[in-house]
Amino acid sequence: MIKEFRDFIARGNVIDLAVDVIIGGAFGKIVSSLVSDVLMPPLGLLLGKIDFSNLFVNLGDKPAKTLADAKTAGVPTLNYGQFIDNIIQFFILAFVVFLIVRAVTKFYKPAPAAATKPCPFCAETIPLAAKKCGHCTSDLAPAATATAAATATTPTA
Protein backbone atom coordinates (compact mmCIF):
# COMPACT_ATOMS: atom_id res chain seq x y z
CA MET A 1 0.00 0.00 0.00
CA ILE A 2 2.84 2.41 0.81
CA LYS A 3 4.52 1.55 -2.49
CA GLU A 4 1.28 2.27 -4.38
CA PHE A 5 0.93 5.62 -2.58
CA ARG A 6 4.56 6.51 -3.39
CA ASP A 7 4.00 5.60 -7.05
CA PHE A 8 0.82 7.68 -7.11
CA ILE A 9 2.54 10.72 -5.62
CA ALA A 10 5.54 10.35 -7.93
CA ARG A 11 3.37 10.58 -11.03
CA GLY A 12 3.91 13.78 -12.96
CA ASN A 13 0.29 14.93 -12.90
CA VAL A 14 0.02 14.94 -9.10
CA ILE A 15 3.25 16.88 -8.64
CA ASP A 16 2.30 19.35 -11.39
CA LEU A 17 -1.08 19.90 -9.75
CA ALA A 18 0.52 20.49 -6.34
CA VAL A 19 2.92 23.06 -7.82
CA ASP A 20 0.04 24.76 -9.66
CA VAL A 21 -2.03 25.02 -6.47
CA ILE A 22 0.88 26.50 -4.50
CA ILE A 23 1.73 29.03 -7.21
CA GLY A 24 -1.96 29.88 -7.65
CA GLY A 25 -2.33 30.57 -3.92
CA ALA A 26 0.71 32.83 -3.91
CA PHE A 27 -0.53 34.62 -7.03
CA GLY A 28 -3.93 35.10 -5.39
CA LYS A 29 -2.26 36.82 -2.43
CA ILE A 30 -0.39 39.13 -4.80
CA VAL A 31 -3.59 40.08 -6.62
CA SER A 32 -5.39 40.56 -3.30
CA SER A 33 -2.67 42.94 -2.15
CA LEU A 34 -2.71 44.73 -5.51
CA VAL A 35 -6.44 45.37 -5.24
CA SER A 36 -6.63 46.19 -1.51
CA ASP A 37 -3.39 48.14 -1.14
CA VAL A 38 -2.74 49.68 -4.56
CA LEU A 39 -5.98 50.03 -6.56
CA MET A 40 -8.70 50.63 -3.98
CA PRO A 41 -7.11 53.54 -2.05
CA PRO A 42 -6.79 55.82 -5.14
CA LEU A 43 -10.24 54.73 -6.32
CA GLY A 44 -11.66 55.58 -2.90
CA LEU A 45 -9.89 58.95 -3.00
CA LEU A 46 -11.36 59.71 -6.41
CA LEU A 47 -14.85 58.79 -5.16
CA GLY A 48 -14.71 61.13 -2.19
CA LYS A 49 -12.27 59.53 0.27
CA ILE A 50 -14.23 56.29 0.60
CA ASP A 51 -12.52 53.31 2.27
CA PHE A 52 -14.11 50.37 0.49
CA SER A 53 -12.89 47.86 3.08
CA ASN A 54 -14.89 49.74 5.74
CA LEU A 55 -18.20 49.85 3.84
CA PHE A 56 -20.84 47.81 5.64
CA VAL A 57 -24.48 47.72 6.64
CA ASN A 58 -25.16 47.32 10.35
CA LEU A 59 -27.68 44.51 10.82
CA GLY A 60 -27.72 44.69 14.60
CA ASP A 61 -29.20 46.92 17.31
CA LYS A 62 -25.95 48.49 18.52
CA PRO A 63 -24.51 51.45 16.61
CA ALA A 64 -21.01 51.10 15.10
CA LYS A 65 -19.02 53.70 13.18
CA THR A 66 -16.48 51.34 11.68
CA LEU A 67 -16.41 47.70 10.67
CA ALA A 68 -13.78 47.03 13.35
CA ASP A 69 -16.11 48.54 16.01
CA ALA A 70 -18.98 46.37 14.78
CA LYS A 71 -16.86 43.21 14.90
CA THR A 72 -15.60 44.07 18.39
CA ALA A 73 -19.16 44.63 19.62
CA GLY A 74 -20.32 41.38 17.95
CA VAL A 75 -22.78 43.22 15.71
CA PRO A 76 -23.81 41.34 12.55
CA THR A 77 -22.81 43.23 9.42
CA LEU A 78 -23.22 43.03 5.67
CA ASN A 79 -19.72 43.82 4.34
CA TYR A 80 -20.40 45.03 0.80
CA GLY A 81 -17.07 46.89 0.64
CA GLN A 82 -15.20 43.58 0.96
CA PHE A 83 -17.50 42.17 -1.70
CA ILE A 84 -16.53 45.00 -4.09
CA ASP A 85 -12.85 44.26 -3.38
CA ASN A 86 -13.40 40.58 -4.15
CA ILE A 87 -15.21 41.34 -7.41
CA ILE A 88 -12.31 43.52 -8.57
CA GLN A 89 -9.83 40.80 -7.55
CA PHE A 90 -11.80 38.26 -9.55
CA PHE A 91 -11.76 40.37 -12.71
CA ILE A 92 -8.03 41.04 -12.40
CA LEU A 93 -7.32 37.32 -11.90
CA ALA A 94 -9.60 36.39 -14.80
CA PHE A 95 -7.90 38.94 -17.07
CA VAL A 96 -4.40 37.71 -16.16
CA VAL A 97 -5.42 34.08 -16.74
CA PHE A 98 -6.91 35.13 -20.09
CA LEU A 99 -3.60 36.79 -21.06
CA ILE A 100 -1.60 33.71 -20.02
CA VAL A 101 -3.86 31.31 -21.94
CA ARG A 102 -3.77 33.59 -24.96
CA ALA A 103 0.05 33.71 -24.89
CA VAL A 104 0.35 29.93 -24.46
CA THR A 105 -2.04 29.16 -27.32
CA LYS A 106 0.14 31.22 -29.67
CA PHE A 107 3.03 28.83 -28.98
CA TYR A 108 1.00 25.63 -29.30
CA LYS A 109 -0.54 25.24 -32.72
CA PRO A 110 -2.99 22.39 -33.34
CA ALA A 111 -1.57 19.28 -34.96
CA PRO A 112 -2.14 19.16 -38.70
CA ALA A 113 -4.81 16.80 -39.99
CA ALA A 114 -3.59 13.33 -40.93
CA ALA A 115 -2.42 13.12 -44.55
CA THR A 116 -2.59 9.33 -44.67
CA LYS A 117 -4.97 6.49 -43.88
CA PRO A 118 -4.68 2.71 -43.68
CA CYS A 119 -5.73 0.66 -46.68
CA PRO A 120 -8.88 -1.28 -45.72
CA PHE A 121 -7.59 -4.38 -47.56
CA CYS A 122 -3.87 -4.67 -46.67
CA ALA A 123 -3.60 -2.19 -43.77
CA GLU A 124 -0.62 -0.39 -45.33
CA THR A 125 -0.44 3.41 -45.05
CA ILE A 126 -1.68 5.25 -48.13
CA PRO A 127 -2.45 8.92 -48.94
CA LEU A 128 -5.93 10.16 -48.09
CA ALA A 129 -6.73 10.99 -51.72
CA ALA A 130 -5.64 7.55 -53.02
CA LYS A 131 -8.16 5.80 -55.30
CA LYS A 132 -6.03 2.65 -55.61
CA CYS A 133 -3.70 1.14 -53.02
CA GLY A 134 -0.08 1.24 -54.14
CA HIS A 135 0.74 -1.86 -52.10
CA CYS A 136 -2.04 -4.34 -52.87
CA THR A 137 -3.48 -2.53 -55.95
CA SER A 138 -7.03 -2.71 -54.57
CA ASP A 139 -9.51 -0.21 -55.87
CA LEU A 140 -10.57 2.12 -53.06
CA ALA A 141 -14.10 3.49 -53.06
CA PRO A 142 -14.58 7.14 -52.08
CA ALA A 143 -15.52 7.56 -48.40
CA ALA A 144 -19.18 8.41 -49.07
CA THR A 145 -19.62 5.56 -51.56
CA ALA A 146 -17.82 3.07 -49.30
CA THR A 147 -20.10 3.94 -46.37
CA ALA A 148 -23.23 3.62 -48.52
CA ALA A 149 -22.02 0.29 -49.97
CA ALA A 150 -21.26 -1.10 -46.51
CA THR A 151 -24.71 -0.06 -45.28
CA ALA A 152 -26.47 -1.55 -48.32
CA THR A 153 -24.76 -4.94 -48.03
CA THR A 154 -25.40 -5.26 -44.29
CA PRO A 155 -28.20 -7.78 -43.73
CA THR A 156 -31.21 -6.51 -41.82
CA ALA A 157 -32.78 -8.50 -39.02
Side-chain angles (χ1 to χ4, degrees):
M1 184 170 176
I2 292 174
K3 182 183 180 308
E4 287 179 66
F5 180 69
R6 185 186 73 224
D7 293 343
F8 173 74
I9 293 298
R11 287 161 73 192
N13 294 346
V14 174
I15 294 171
D16 291 343
L17 180 61
V19 169
D20 292 344
V21 167
I22 291 168
I23 290 174
F27 186 69
K29 288 181 182 180
I30 291 170
V31 170
S32 177
S33 177
L34 173 71
V35 171
S36 299
D37 302 329
V38 177
L39 295 177
M40 295 311 278
L43 184 61
L45 185 65
L46 287 173
L47 297 174
K49 297 184 180 181
I50 297 173
D51 179 12
F52 280 91
S53 63
N54 201 31
L55 296 176
F56 69 99
V57 174
N58 187 340
L59 300 174
D61 299 339
K62 302 175 191 173
K65 292 193 181 240
T66 65
L67 183 58
D69 292 344
K71 286 186 178 188
T72 303
V75 176
T77 58
L78 182 68
N79 305 328
Y80 67 92
Q82 292 292 332
F83 183 69
I84 293 170
D85 278 352
N86 290 333
I87 289 173
I88 293 172
Q89 287 177 26
F90 169 77
F91 281 115
I92 290 172
L93 267 172
F95 184 68
V96 169
V97 168
F98 164 75
L99 292 177
I100 291 170
V101 169
R102 190 171 139 206
V104 168
T105 55
K106 285 184 180 183
F107 291 113
Y108 293 105
K109 295 192 166 114
T116 60
K117 65 181 178 182
C119 172
F121 301 101
C122 68
E124 290 289 332
T125 305
I126 57 174
L128 280 177
K131 295 188 188 310
K132 187 173 216 122
C133 177
H135 303 282
C136 68
T137 66
S138 298
D139 286 327
L140 304 172
T145 311
T147 306
T151 314
T153 59
T154 305
T156 56

